Structures are given as C-alpha cells and as structure tokens.
Amino acid sequence: MRLKDLIFLFIPLLVTCQEAKDTEIWGPIPEEVYTISDSAPPTDAIILFDGSDLSKWEGSWSDKESEWDINDDGFLVNDGTDGRLIQTKENFGSVQLHVEWKTSEYTSFTNQKRSNSGVFLQGRYEIQILDSYKSPTYVNGQAGSVYKQYIPLVNASRKPGEWQSYDIIFDAPKFDSDGNKIKSGYFTVFHNGILIHNHVEILGTTENIGPPKNIAHGNGPIALQSHCCSQVSFRNIWVRELN
Ligand code: MG
C-alpha cells in the first residue's frame, strides 16, 4: 500500500478519535454584565452624562470653562460657538460609545449650519452630527459620516426635534515609539439602531480642509462639537472601555 493511501486511511480514524470537549473552551469566563432595558446603560458602563451634572467634562479651550449648559429638561445643549468643544476629562482608547442627540426644530439654517455638531473619538476622529433629514449637504459630511472619509451606508436621520442615537464601536489606532502608525483605527456605527458603518478603516484625522493626518497619539478624550448656528441637545451618554 502506498503512503498516500495509508494517510487517507488514517485521517478518518484520527477525526473519529476527537471528542466534542477537545474544542470546548471553559475559561476565562466572560464578566457578567446586565442592562435593565435595551436603552439603559450596561452595568459596566462609565456614565458620562445622565442629565445631572457635567463633572466628567471640561471645555477643550485654554480656560477650560465650559459654556455648555444643562437646560431645564436635563439636556446638555451646545455652546453654539464655532470650535468650543466640550470633552471628557478622562482619556480613552478603544470604546463602545452611546450618545443620544436631538437637532433643533428651528430649521431656517441650511447645509452645514443646520444643527451641526459631532462626536470626536480621541479628540480627532469625528462622526458627524447634523440635521440631515431632507436637508442636503455634501454626503461625506452628512449625519453619520466619518467626516470627509466615509459616507453612511444609509441616511437614518429622524425629523428635527426627534431624539436620535449613535452607538459607536471605535477600535483605536496604534503608533510605535517612532511615531509610525502600526495599526489603523476602525469605526462601526449604528444610527438609530441601523448599521451605517461596518468596520471602516479610519484614514487619519477627520479634517475639514485637506487630507487626513496621522500624527502619533495615545488615548484621548471623547469630545462633542459646538458649531454655528442652530443648537444640538444631548442626553444619555455612556461609554464602555474595550482595551
Ligand atoms: Mg460637525
């Protein structure tokens, strides 16, 4: 009998010697995490804003005094001034982030002036917030875009004044000690529960002018953008660290 024939004879025997338990993994056991409802934060989430205070946040500008306010309804309302971002005091790497937001019912502004905000991961990678309900703009800058890098797969925008949500899975990029990017970052994003980005590779910083930049950095804050001209409201912001 040739060697090849012997191998084919023994392969079925080897397979039948295996047992189901050979491919069972019993540890480490995943941590127990719960939610009381689909809209509630998981038990291991860091609550960044629940309507009560801004203790987890600071202004991104030099004096750090935030002009963002909590209104009488317990919603965080943006400053309305260009460039006045509010950011977490804590720095984050890879995260799962939940943000609920509402565009203004005041719809006289158009294009990028109509309830423009944004969620910045590590202070530099923006998922656009905008009123994109029947309000045209460049599509790589509409609501849900990875700003000027990826157009959302669909436009899941709700009407002005209706609450919306982002669930963002951010896989942070990595840089070596020489400042070279050794691993790209990735975004997976759900807008109102609908998948709009499926593990897209972040090309670098989400610049308004010019190409993305890839300057080495470590963990960074989660920031919310203030942008002229109509305001955006926020509620229920929580994050789970994935590092
Ligand atoms: Mg924006």
Side-chain angles (χ1 to χ4, degrees):
M1 184 176 286
R2 291 181 302 171
L3 179 61
K4 190 177 80 173
D5 297 328
L6 274 171
I7 290 170
F8 279 110
L9 185 68
F10 278 103
I11 282 176
L13 287 172
L14 287 169
V15 170
T16 53
C17 287
Q18 291 183 345
E19 299 179 57
K21 68 178 183 182
D22 294 337
T23 47
E24 294 172 356
I25 299 171
W26 285 73
I29 298 170
E31 181 186 356
E32 293 182 3
V33 176
Y34 303 95
T35 55
I36 55 170
S37 74
D38 289 349
S39 59
T43 50
D44 64 346
I46 299 168
I47 309 299
L48 296 177
F49 179 70
D50 64 1
S52 55
D53 63 66
L54 289 174
S55 60
K56 300 273 175 62
W57 300 83
E58 63 185 8
S60 64
W61 50 93
S62 57
D63 59 16
K64 302 287 186 188
E65 283 295 316
S66 171
E67 293 177 17
W68 289 50
D69 289 323
I70 302 174
N71 68 15
D72 292 341
D73 296 318
F75 307 144
L76 175 60
V77 182
N78 74 354
D79 180 292
T81 308
D82 276 342
R84 304 282 274 185
L85 282 76
I86 193 172
Q87 65 185 26
T88 55
K89 294 175 182 173
E90 186 174 350
N91 291 325
F92 295 95
S94 298
V95 295
Q96 174 186 352
L97 175 66
H98 176 85
V99 180
E100 295 176 26
W101 51 277
K102 182 175 71 166
T103 58
S104 174
E105 292 176 78
Y106 180 75
T107 55
S108 291
F109 295 108
T110 60
N111 195 359
Q112 293 283 308
K113 291 182 177 177
R114 189 147 154 176
S115 288
N116 190 334
S117 182
V119 185
F120 285 76
L121 280 296
Q122 296 191 323
R124 43 179 66 73
Y125 307 116
E126 181 184 11
I127 301 296
Q128 173 73 304
I129 287 176
L130 192 72
D131 180 357
S132 289
Y133 183 80
K134 303 188 187 306
S135 177
T137 188
Y138 45 93
V139 293
N140 60 346
Q142 72 176 65
S145 60
V146 179
Y147 189 72
K148 295 224 173 142
Q149 292 186 23
Y150 293 98
I151 302 159
L153 294 171
V154 295
N155 183 356
S157 297
R158 291 180 178 151
K159 292 177 182 176
E162 293 187 7
W163 283 102
Q164 310 195 49
S165 67
Y166 282 156
D167 287 284
I168 299 168
I169 293 99
F170 171 68
D171 185 13
K174 288 189 168 51
F175 298 83
D176 66 16
S177 55
D178 294 327
N180 303 306
K181 188 162 76 171
I182 54 173
K183 179 193 154 306
S184 291
Y186 292 88
F187 271 125
T188 297
V189 182
F190 295 84
H191 182 184
N192 299 329
I194 299 167
L195 182 71
I196 58 168
H197 296 294
N198 186 6
H199 197 64
V200 294
E201 180 178 0
I202 300 167
L203 305 178
T205 52
T206 49
E207 300 290 328
N208 185 34
I209 301 172
K213 296 186 175 79
N214 284 284
I215 299 167
H217 64 85
N219 289 353
I222 293 163
L224 302 174
Q225 186 184 41
S226 184
H227 191 296
C228 161
C229 295
S230 42
Q231 291 185 319
V232 179
S233 305
F234 295 87
R235 69 180 184 185
N236 297 335
I237 306 174
W238 53 260
V239 66
R240 296 179 64 240
E241 294 182 292
L242 304 178
N243 291 334

